[in-house]
Amino acid sequence: MNTDATSKLAYEAVPKVPPFCQPTWLRPIITSGGQYKLAGGPTSFCQLDVVMADGIDGYVASRMDCDQLFALADDRNMASKAIDDLTIARPHFAGLDMSWSHLMGVLNVTPDSFSDGGVNHGLAKAIAAGKAMAVEGASIIDIGGESTRPGAEPVSRNQELARILPPITALARAEMLISVDTRHAAVMTRATAAGAAIINDVQALQGEDAMTAAAASGAPVVMMHMKGTPETMQQDPVYDFAPVEIYEFLKQRVAAAIAAGIPASSIAIDPGFGFGKTVTHNLQLVNWLSLFHGLGVVVLFGASRKSSIAKISAGEPAEARLAGSLALAAAAWRQGAQIIRVHDVAETAQALAVEAALRATDS
């Protein structure tokens, strides 16, 4: 297993300079019965890893409680705002209560997606699959018509629209909450007009006219981090420390969306497990997922059936990665992710029900 990217973060007992005298990032350390609720949800924390740049292309972290942070902070107002961003309950997102986690069911209507290409390629199959996922516990059905697996080649807008518009229309008419998984402005516009209520973009609305189209639609958006493109993203991705660098990218995208007229309450971010990351980067993202609540918006996480599971384990094909997918979904739930994107809805719903019951009896 690749173990790179771990040397650029070091721990020290006491920070060399006061927090918030320079860029500072806070990672809540999740615990049962903590003093602070993470984003108003079921998980909590008492301590934080306070991270700052060390001036030589690396990062240092010091673990402390919130009272220590306030006492040491160069700017107590900035410290207070940072804690508020981590703890304030998130407003409803696309009508969903964000005080607990929701499942987003993956419905790929493509012939070549990495884990289920062709399985739901056809209107009747797609409609049946979407309805089944809703019954199994999916709050959102995420419909995609272009594969973004590593090395995937783009398809034309007409191809993408021909694949997604019929199932979007049918399932929206059946009163299901539909997300369109696309990175193209024209597709966003047509899909939301057809009934898609959420736009989920793996390129974080950086494509031509994508931000304008998303803002004009009035739909909530999910913006994901991807290093490069699907064609290039796994060609030796490098970070000094992935969680902080991805956080900064998403911070900029949240600011851009707000400037374009999309309210913060209609923004979710996704750190992009598997999109331009090594196994080590992906594991860091899971362990540091609580960091991303500092952006003050909804956090979505998707690692279902990703190849890192097989690389950690025994090289299993995508359809044989359920156990690893459940482990990652449970880890994301413990880190406060409000939306978890999965292929196996019923199994994940059961696993998270057990996680929630364990947390409820340990507080």
Side-chain angles (χ1 to χ4, degrees):
M1 184 176 71
N2 191 326
T3 57
D4 62 355
T6 58
S7 62
K8 295 297 182 75
L9 174 73
Y11 277 85
E12 54 186 27
V14 180
K16 294 183 177 68
V17 297
F20 300 102
C21 73
Q22 63 183 46
T24 301
W25 301 271
L26 304 181
R27 173 208 188 189
I29 306 302
I30 305 304
T31 187
S32 297
Q35 179 182 358
Y36 297 91
K37 290 289 187 181
L38 187 60
T43 57
S44 59
F45 66 97
C46 292
Q47 291 185 306
L48 305 149
D49 276 348
V50 180
V51 182
M52 290 181 282
D54 69 359
I56 52 172
D57 297 325
Y59 300 89
V60 293
S62 302
R63 187 160 295 183
M64 63 186 72
D65 61 34
C66 292
D67 288 340
Q68 290 174 299
L69 175 66
F70 291 132
L72 293 173
D74 181 65
D75 187 325
R76 290 176 62 93
N77 289 330
M78 290 183 68
S80 180
K81 183 183 183 304
I83 297 297
D84 285 346
D85 287 339
L86 287 168
T87 57
I88 291 174
R90 305 300 182 242
H92 284 37
F93 181 83
L96 297 175
D97 186 342
M98 293 288 107
S99 64
W100 64 83
S101 294
H102 295 267
L103 297 182
M104 173 185 276
V106 179
L107 181 53
N108 290 317
V109 288
T110 60
D112 59 344
S113 291
F114 82 96
S115 70
D116 54 0
V119 172
N120 299 311
H121 189 48
L123 181 57
K125 289 181 180 179
I127 292 172
K131 290 182 176 179
M133 285 190 286
V135 170
E136 292 168 350
S139 301
I140 307 166
I141 308 300
D142 191 42
I143 299 178
E146 179 187 39
S147 175
T148 51
R149 61 179 171 78
E153 296 183 359
V155 300
S156 73
R157 302 294 76 73
N158 287 338
Q159 284 178 297
E160 188 178 359
L161 287 165
R163 291 171 179 175
I164 67 171
L165 288 182
I168 286 175
T169 301
L171 293 173
R173 286 176 178 171
E175 299 185 345
M176 296 180 191
L177 187 63
I178 305 301
S179 169
V180 59
D181 180 1
T182 186
R183 51 190 173 137
H184 305 294
V187 178
M188 295 173 189
T189 300
R190 293 283 300 278
T192 52
I198 301 168
I199 293 169
N200 180 17
D201 183 3
V202 298
Q203 289 187 325
L205 301 179
Q206 295 181 99
E208 184 178 359
D209 296 326
M211 185 70 77
T212 300
S217 75
V221 300
V222 180
M223 297 188 294
M224 192 193 81
H225 174 274
M226 174 170 58
K227 196 176 186 74
T229 67
E231 300 96 318
T232 65
M233 62 186 180
Q234 290 306 112
Q235 295 175 9
D236 192 28
V238 175
Y239 305 84
D240 285 335
F241 185 57
V244 164
E245 291 169 50
I246 292 166
Y247 180 101
E248 283 300 297
F249 167 85
L250 291 170
K251 180 180 178 180
Q252 294 170 5
R253 298 313 298 156
V254 169
I258 292 172
I262 302 173
S265 59
S266 293
I267 298 173
I269 58 90
D270 176 355
F273 185 106
F275 284 79
K277 286 95 178 169
T278 66
V279 171
T280 296
H281 300 143
N282 287 326
L283 295 178
Q284 287 174 336
L285 285 179
V286 178
N287 286 329
W288 283 71
L289 194 60
S290 63
L291 170 85
F292 292 90
H293 293 284
L295 294 169
V297 299
V298 167
V299 174
L300 182 149
F301 180 81
S304 179
R305 300 185 183 179
K306 294 290 179 70
S307 63
S308 284
I309 297 169
K311 292 173 183 175
I312 294 167
S313 181
E316 298 89 344
E319 64 273 14
R321 300 172 189 166
L322 174 60
S325 299
L326 295 178
L328 289 168
W333 183 91
R334 290 191 294 270
Q335 295 281 327
Q338 289 97 349
I339 302 174
I340 301 174
R341 187 177 183 272
V342 301
H343 295 83
D344 304 290
V345 174
E347 294 86 348
T348 310
Q350 184 183 82
L352 297 187
V354 174
E355 282 285 338
L358 289 168
R359 177 56 55 88
T361 58
D362 189 33
S363 59

